[in-house]
Amino acid sequence: MIKLYDLSGKNNLRFSPPCWNVKLALMYKKIKFDTIPVGFSEKNKIAFSNQELVPVLQHKNGFICDSWNIFNWL
């Protein structure tokens, strides 16, 4: 299963346009995915990617960072 690390604000509000664009692309392609909320101070959740920003897409063969790179991979 694909995991999308998504920016999360107060009360679990998801407001990042790049993350929304990736979600819409995944839904358009009918790809099942789970979202993992990442708060502003929870950079440890995406430390495996050596990135500080979301979106990060994790799949069985690794991960992809940055929405443009994710779109090209899809």
Side-chain angles (χ1 to χ4, degrees):
M1 172 74 65
I2 290 178
K3 294 180 185 176
L4 175 63
Y5 290 83
D6 184 13
L7 185 62
S8 177
K10 188 175 182 181
N11 297 327
N12 204 27
L13 180 65
R14 310 294 173 87
F15 55 88
S16 170
C19 292
W20 269 105
N21 289 335
V22 171
K23 285 182 202 177
L24 291 172
L26 288 166
M27 287 187 271
Y28 177 77
K29 292 192 161 267
K30 296 182 172 122
I31 298 172
K32 293 182 182 182
F33 63 98
D34 289 328
T35 57
I36 311 298
V38 179
F40 287 106
S41 62
E42 297 180 314
K43 296 190 188 276
N44 61 322
K45 287 185 177 181
I46 57 172
F48 67 90
S49 68
N50 295 322
Q51 300 294 311
E52 294 186 0
L53 301 173
V54 291
V56 175
L57 190 80
Q58 186 178 25
H59 54 89
K60 66 181 179 179
N61 296 326
F63 62 90
I64 306 163
C65 304
D66 188 71
S67 56
W68 183 254
N69 293 332
I70 294 170
F71 297 144
N72 287 324
W73 182 77
L74 290 174

